Each structure stands twice: as C-alpha cells, then as structure tokens.
Amino acid sequence: EHIVNAGGLWARELGRMSGIHLPVVPMEHHYLITDEIDQIASLPEGQRLPSCIDFEANIYTRQESTGMLLGTYEPRSTPWSLDGTPQTFGHDLLEPDLDRIADRLELAFERIPALGTAGIKNTINGPFVFSPDGNPMVGPVPGIKNYWTAVGVMAGFCQAGGVGKTLAEWMIEGEPSVDVWAMDIARFGDFATPQWGVIKSSENYERRFVMTFPNETLPKGRRQKTTSIYDRLTQKGAVWQDTFGLENALWFADSPEDAYEDPTFHRSRSHDYVAKEVKAVRENLGASEVASFANHKFTGSGARAFLDRILAGHMPEHGRVNLSPMLLESGKLNGDLTVACIDDETYYLFGSSVAQNMHLRWFEKHLEGVDDVIYKNMTDDFHGIAISGPNSRELLSRLTREDVSSDAFKFRDIRDTFIGGVPALCVRLSFTGELGYEIYVAPQYQLKLFEEIEEVGKDLDVKWFGGRALMSMRLEKSWGAWTLDFRPDFTLMESGLDFFVNWNKDFIGKDAALEEKKNGPSKHLSVIEIETETDVSGDEAVMHNGKCISYITSGGYGHSVEKSLAMTYLPVELIDEDTELEVEILGEFHQASVVMKPLYDPSGSKMRE
Ligand SMILES: Cc1cc2nc3c(=O)[nH]c(=O)nc-3n(C[C@H](O)[C@H](O)[C@H](O)COP(=O)(O)OP(=O)(O)OC[C@H]3O[C@@H](n4cnc5c(N)ncnc54)[C@H](O)[C@@H]3O)c2cc1C
C-alpha cells in the first residue's frame, strides 16, 4: 500500500502521524482587488493587461475583471500557526492587516498611479504553505517505504499539474520522465527540521522576488551543521556556503575581516584569491575539507554482487577504488560514484553529498528482500581533509608510517590506516587533476588531523583552498559534476561516462544504454572556451548560426589555463574545433569554440605520478 501526503496546510500534522517532520510552514499572504479602473474598463474588447512582477517593490499585479489584483511578498514575513493547522480550519481567510503591507502599497501606487486612486473592493489575507527553498517537496520519502509526499506546493494553481504528473510517472514508470531534482523531497535531510524550515521558508517568502546572484549564498539558517574545524578555517578567512545543511568553504580571504563578497553577475573579488589557491595546488600543495562528500557503506557476503548490479562500472579489487556511473532503468544518469573495496565484504561509495538521500532511497529500494547486505549512509561519520599538489606526497609521508611512494601507494589505492596519528581511510585520488589524497576520519579526529597537517606542513607552505578553486580545476580537466553536468536529464552515452562501463556484466539500465550505444548519442557533453570577461553561471543559451543549440550546464574560470570555460551538451555533428559558437551572457553574445581535449594535463600523468 502507498500513502501520499498531499495535506497542504495540514501536511505537517499528517507527516507527524508517520513520524515525518516536514520543514514546511504556512505564511500569511495579502492581496487586494481594486474597484473598476477607467483605463482598464475602456480597453478594447479582448485586450487584457499582462501579469506583472515588480522585483524592486516585491509586488505582483494581474487584471481582475475591470480592476486589478495587487499582491505583495512583504520583506518581513508572518509565519502562521507554527504549532500546526487546526483541524477545524477550513481554508478560511485571516484578518487583513494592511499596516503590514503599507510600504509595499506605496511603492505599487508610485509604479502604477491608477492603483493609488482606485477604491479597494476586497482585501484578502490567507495562509499558504512554503518550503525552505520555495519549491514543492515531491516523491518517495527516503527511509520510509511507500510513503510519498506532494507538499510545500506554494503556487498550487500553476504547479499542481507538474506535481501530479511527476508523481504519476514516478509511481507507474518507476522514475519521472525529466530531472525533478529541484522538487525532489530527497534534497532535504534530517538537518531540515521544522524549526529550520520556519527560518528558511520565511527567508524564501521574503526573497520571493529578490534577485539571487550566482555568487550569493543566502544568510538564514546557516551553521545548521558544521565540522570541528569550522572555527579554524574561519580564522583562516574561509567564506562559507551550506550544502545539504553543512557549511563548507567556498574560498579563503586573507583574514576573517577580509572574508566578504558583494553579490554580482561578474567576477567577484574572490577571483584573485581563488587564482592563488589554484596556483598553490598546481605548483605546490593545497588542503581542503572534504566533509561534504557522501559516504555510503555496504558490508556483507552479498555486498559485491549487489554493487556490481546497481553500478555500471567495473568493481575494484581489494584496496582499490574505481569511478562508476549509476543508471536509472531508462539509461539516464542516477549518479557518478567512486566505489572502494576494503575487503571481500566491505565497500564504500563516495558521491555527491546533496544526492545522499536520493541515493539512499535508491539503494534501499533495491535492497528490499536482500538479506546478505548491510547498508548505512556514513556521510556524517566521515569528515575528511584532502591534500593535493606536487608536494602532497611529501606531506603525507610526514603524517604516516606507511610507505607512500608511488609504487607502494598507487593512483586509486585506498588504505584503512593511521594518518596524523588517528584512524583514517586514505584514498589516492583527487578532483583537482594533481597528485592528491583524500583522508577520511571520524568527526572526533578531524581537528587532530587538521592540527597535524598544519604542524608538519608548515615548511611546505600548505595553502587551504575551497570549492571554487576545486570547480575551476575540474573544469580545466573537462570533468563534469553531479547536479550540473551529470543528472537524470542526460544519458550514459551523452555524458561520456560510458568510458567507465563494464559491458560484460548485467547492471541496472544496461538494456537502454545498449540500445543507445548501438545508434550513438545525438549530443555529447563538451567543454567550450568563451571569449568573455564575465563567466557563465549556468543555463545560458549556446548558439550556432543564429540558432540556440544547447544550454550551459556549468562553467567558470580556469585559473591556471587562464580561460573562461563552460560545459554543455552539443549536437555530436558540431563537436569540432572549427565550429563557431556563441554564448549569450547577460544579453550579449560571446564567441566560443569547442575544447577537444582537457586543457590541463590531458594525459592525466600528473595525478598518476
Ligand atoms: C491568499 C492566497 C493566495 C494564493 N494565490 C495563489 C496564486 O496566485 N497562484 C497559485 O498558484 N497559488 C496561489 N495560492 C496557493 C494555493 O492556494 C495553494 O498552493 C494550493 O491550495 C495548495 O494545494 P494543496 O492541494 O497542496 O493543499 P491544500 O489546498 O491545502 O489542500 C490540502 C487538502 O488536504 C485535505 N486534508 C488534510 N488532512 C487530511 C486528512 N487527514 N485526510 C484527508 N484529507 C486531508 C484538506 O482537506 C485539503 O483539501 C494562494 C493561496 C492563498 C492562501
């Protein structure tokens, strides 16, 4: 039997009946309807005014008969009935409080003077439900069998069709027909408590019409989850963002006082700092926190066979790791993961932290009836530090008694060992394209590991780097990233991840992938270089001969190759170095060309040294 919680204003109460604490909250919301306005009444037959949003005033308007409807998302929200929606409440209206929106009305009257002189026919104040990011929360609830939600639907009139279609496809076909990540309930985890939900939902309501810039991180509900080195990195000038509730460093300023950034579409002041971080990693030695990577552990006599079926790639031997795509039945991407084999019955999957609950849901679905595999999401049990750069082996050798020479500790080796005097899983792998190691320890050991790195790395001039430097370096290597370039909108063959597939075995999605392999994909993930001083931020149009042929999935500045780069799925016939492309950035078209091989270390020799 399946349960769908589509309880709207009562979703919280319904959820609690099943032990689910949804982070949604109703917000009071006002709009008013004017009396007839002469200019509207005299419009020619069949002509209507367009619906409008004024982003500065936070107001919206729509023609309502011969008058206007005027609504506003006021800058100070009023969450309603925090303790729960009364059973006796019948979608009633609330007492209007015009004082609360008086300043917004003034702005509206300034913008549309006819509103200021029109009489008010009706004032409405009603509660409607918001989620922490304003999007619906739809889909199977991770960790609870056969429980679905369709909640947090704040704009029900316009969203209901999509929500219903998504649920129907998911139930009947096993997966939605398009990537619905933005409304998947799995994008939240246990960090999304009801209290946090009120804070973030209020922020979302208040920012409903406020522009969020590509480099901007929103301030409310922060430090919900931190690691033990949060204060240390803050002291070093870390500028933070939160991912799946956890703070992680974006870049490092010179000091806490220097750690600020204005919202902008253009290159921000972080640009030069990130350049220094990239230079340090490329030429010497960098360290970064890796607490926000997901870690899934599988143990038991059936673990290898289970993983071999859900992953499309090759299973590693003892002490080794492999990259592997994971597919949906349709052959679309469901994950790009690193699988590690510790011994016959112990495996780890490392992957995207934001996707951890989505993946947990997938694993649990396929583990139904399997009794020889024990699975646990260990993400919060491992907080790591990665070291990367030509001098990272020297640093590692000072932190451990193990032989870390290239022959003894090879590229893609994993060791269950001691690093910096604490128990650690150490993987020789890096997303920077340099020689590098990811060191995972239990959270209570992370501070000790940090201090050891600081101490023994002093004369090596180890520099801390953040997520922006990492994203810059992976672009230079032409590596895609989950939620951006790799997601269920794209298939195995389109993404190029077929490179890692073991075609000599059965795996989920194989039939669809084989079918596509036979004919070849019509588009393929590509890197392009753009002539621009303003880097892309995602979703920009890619043009060829005046026609839009694709859109940008991710991009930014490649600091060591000194080029503005982006990733996009190009029609295969256009993947040629002579193809002339244009990318529309902030309303202007910029010339672009296809990058045929990674701009940085195309042979990959540096990380294998
Ligand atoms: C003032 C105001 C203005 C709005 N303006 C717009 C707009 O312009 N555009 C727009 O798109 N949206 C607008 N909305 C929002 C829209 O009304 C909601 O998004 C929509 O109603 C949400 O639909 P829902 O089905 O998710 O929840 P609801 O409409 O709240 O429906 C939930 C249903 O679940 C039922 N239920 C509860 N508990 C149980 C139970 N235990 N068993 C069985 N049934 C149960 C309830 O009786 C109810 O029928 C506005 C809302 C307000 C208040």
Side-chain angles (χ1 to χ4, degrees):
E1 290 208 339
H2 291 257
I3 294 176
V4 181
N5 179 347
L9 287 171
W10 296 267
R12 295 169 296 173
E13 289 70 34
L14 268 176
R16 279 201 291 270
M17 288 161 73
S18 306
I20 297 168
H21 300 277
L22 293 165
V24 295
V25 65
M27 296 285 173
E28 291 193 24
H29 182 64
H30 283 85
Y31 65 85
L32 45 90
I33 293 169
T34 69
D35 287 330
E36 180 165 292
I37 296 175
D38 289 344
Q39 292 93 324
I40 297 177
S42 57
L43 282 175
E45 175 87 23
Q47 189 175 326
R48 282 182 61 83
L49 293 180
S51 298
C52 291
I53 293 174
D54 180 336
F55 288 105
E56 274 170 40
N58 252 8
I59 53 170
Y60 60 92
T61 56
R62 176 168 64 74
Q63 184 179 332
E64 177 78 13
S65 182
T66 50
M68 289 286 272
L69 180 153
L70 165 64
T72 176
Y73 290 88
E74 56 276 28
R76 185 116 188 242
S77 62
T78 311
W80 177 77
S81 206
L82 290 181
D83 295 331
T85 303
Q87 290 294 319
T88 50
F89 189 77
H91 278 133
D92 307 314
L93 292 176
L94 309 172
E95 195 57 41
D97 181 358
L98 282 183
D99 283 350
R100 224 187 276 155
I101 60 167
D103 59 337
R104 300 295 107 188
L105 294 182
E106 260 175 48
L107 290 168
F109 298 159
E110 231 173 78
R111 182 74 77 201
I112 310 174
L115 289 176
T117 50
I120 296 176
K121 187 157 78 184
N122 212 348
T123 306
I124 310 286
N125 179 18
F128 65 147
V129 174
F130 266 68
S131 74
D133 60 8
N135 281 355
M137 295 169 62
V138 179
V141 176
I144 304 190
K145 198 177 154 193
N146 295 349
Y147 193 102
W148 303 68
T149 57
V151 304
V153 186
M154 59 76 55
F157 302 125
C158 49
Q159 294 173 332
V163 167
K165 181 170 187 272
T166 298
L167 266 187
E169 286 177 347
W170 215 327
M171 287 178 166
I172 296 165
E173 311 293 343
E175 62 186 79
S177 57
V178 293
D179 178 14
V180 294
W181 174 245
M183 63 170 166
D184 188 338
I185 187 162
R187 71 189 185 280
F188 296 108
D190 58 9
F191 67 91
T193 60
Q195 291 85 345
W196 184 85
V198 173
I199 294 166
K200 289 303 280 185
S201 303
S202 301
E203 179 185 56
N204 189 275
Y205 180 97
E206 291 160 7
R207 293 182 58 91
R208 183 90 193 124
F209 295 150
V210 177
M211 177 93 71
T212 301
F213 289 83
N215 68 328
E216 200 175 358
T217 57
L218 300 183
K220 297 265 179 81
R222 297 297 295 273
R223 291 195 295 278
Q224 179 75 347
K225 282 173 79 175
T226 53
T227 66
S228 59
I229 61 172
Y230 175 82
D231 287 344
R232 303 294 179 101
L233 296 183
T234 300
Q235 277 309 309
K236 287 185 172 294
V239 175
W240 299 94
Q241 70 171 353
D242 56 337
T243 308
F244 209 70
L246 181 71
E247 296 292 328
N248 52 92
L250 271 176
W251 58 281
F252 286 83
D254 288 341
S255 65
E257 297 70 39
D258 187 39
Y260 65 93
E261 185 182 26
D262 291 327
T264 176
F265 280 112
H266 304 284
R267 288 174 192 160
S268 77
R269 70 185 294 270
S270 76
H271 189 79
D272 294 341
Y273 294 84
V274 175
K276 285 185 209 155
E277 293 171 26
V278 170
K279 188 172 161 61
V281 175
R282 292 277 186 245
E283 295 176 7
N284 179 34
L285 176 59
S288 67
E289 190 174 31
V290 288
S292 68
F293 289 180
N295 184 317
H296 305 271
K297 186 176 187 182
F298 297 83
T299 50
S301 58
R304 189 175 183 93
F306 173 75
L307 290 173
D308 211 14
R309 196 172 72 82
I310 59 164
L311 298 175
H314 297 264
M315 287 298 290
E317 298 309 318
H318 290 189
R320 299 283 292 158
V321 305
N322 276 348
L323 295 180
S324 174
M326 184 164 74
L327 303 184
L328 296 166
E329 292 288 358
S330 60
K332 290 179 179 172
L333 297 180
N334 191 20
D336 68 321
L337 298 143
T338 302
V339 52
C341 172
I342 304 300
D343 59 46
D344 274 350
E345 300 198 3
T346 312
Y347 296 84
Y348 289 99
L349 285 186
F350 302 99
S352 157
S353 101
V354 290
Q356 62 184 271
N357 264 357
M358 182 190 101
H359 286 150
L360 172 145
R361 181 174 63 200
W362 184 255
F363 300 144
E364 288 190 340
K365 177 179 169 188
H366 291 278
L367 278 168
E368 246 184 87
V370 176
D371 55 12
D372 53 1
V373 182
I374 297 169
Y375 160 66
K376 189 164 184 256
N377 177 4
M378 301 283 288
T379 306
D380 286 340
D381 299 280
F382 280 108
H383 285 170
I385 293 174
I387 55 174
S388 197
N391 264 328
S392 54
R393 180 178 291 123
E394 172 58 27
L395 175 62
L396 186 66
S397 71
R398 299 179 187 187
L399 290 164
T400 178
R401 292 179 180 173
E402 295 246 2
D403 178 358
V404 295
S405 64
S406 191
D407 286 342
F409 196 10
K410 297 189 184 62
F411 178 60
R412 293 197 291 107
D413 272 357
I414 183 166
R415 295 269 183 283
D416 198 349
T417 180
F418 304 100
I419 310 279
V422 299
L425 267 182
C426 184
V427 199
R428 192 182 149 189
L429 205 67
S430 117
F431 202 42
T432 63
E434 299 296 336
L435 171 69
Y437 305 87
E438 288 170 4
I439 308 164
Y440 293 95
V441 298
Q444 65 270 26
Y445 293 127
Q446 194 196 20
L447 182 58
K448 168 77 172 152
L449 176 65
F450 171 88
E451 288 179 340
E452 287 286 322
I453 288 174
E454 287 282 278
E455 181 60 29
V456 305
K458 218 179 271 169
D459 64 311
L460 293 174
D461 201 17
V462 54
K463 182 161 179 58
W464 286 84
F465 67 98
R468 287 207 182 137
L470 192 64
M471 290 302 266
S472 167
M473 289 185 274
R474 66 95 200 177
L475 264 181
E476 297 179 333
K477 289 289 297 171
S478 298
W479 288 336
W482 187 256
T483 71
L484 300 170
D485 320 295
F486 299 145
R487 48 186 146 119
D489 274 334
F490 308 114
T491 65
L492 176 72
M493 302 302 295
E494 291 168 345
S495 67
L497 288 173
D498 55 304
F499 177 80
F500 298 101
V501 166
N502 178 0
W503 294 103
N504 299 318
K505 66 166 190 177
D506 275 337
F507 56 86
I508 292 172
K510 185 177 179 184
D511 290 347
L514 270 179
E515 190 59 30
E516 200 190 11
K517 189 170 182 244
K518 216 165 40 187
N519 306 320
S522 59
K523 59 184 181 207
H524 200 275
L525 183 60
S526 309
V527 177
I528 59 173
E529 176 189 334
I530 311 169
E531 303 294 324
T532 177
E533 296 289 310
T534 299
D535 306 310
V536 295
S537 51
D539 295 330
E540 290 86 353
V542 181
M543 315 288 291
H544 176 65
N545 287 343
K547 268 178 62 185
C548 178
I549 50 157
S550 69
Y551 62 93
I552 300 296
T553 50
S554 75
Y557 190 71
H559 284 275
S560 53
V561 301
E562 298 182 341
K563 290 180 192 307
S564 187
L565 302 172
M567 297 190 99
T568 180
Y569 281 80
L570 289 179
V572 285
E573 64 278 11
L574 293 180
I575 302 177
D576 186 285
E577 57 196 354
D578 294 329
T579 301
E580 290 179 7
L581 300 170
E582 284 184 313
V583 178
E584 187 188 10
I585 303 173
L586 300 182
E588 284 178 10
F589 291 95
H590 297 261
Q591 282 189 351
S593 55
V594 185
V595 171
M596 297 303 287
K597 60 178 188 200
L599 289 172
Y600 185 80
D601 188 26
S603 69
S605 61
K606 286 184 184 290
M607 58 188 181
R608 291 183 174 81
E609 267 164 19

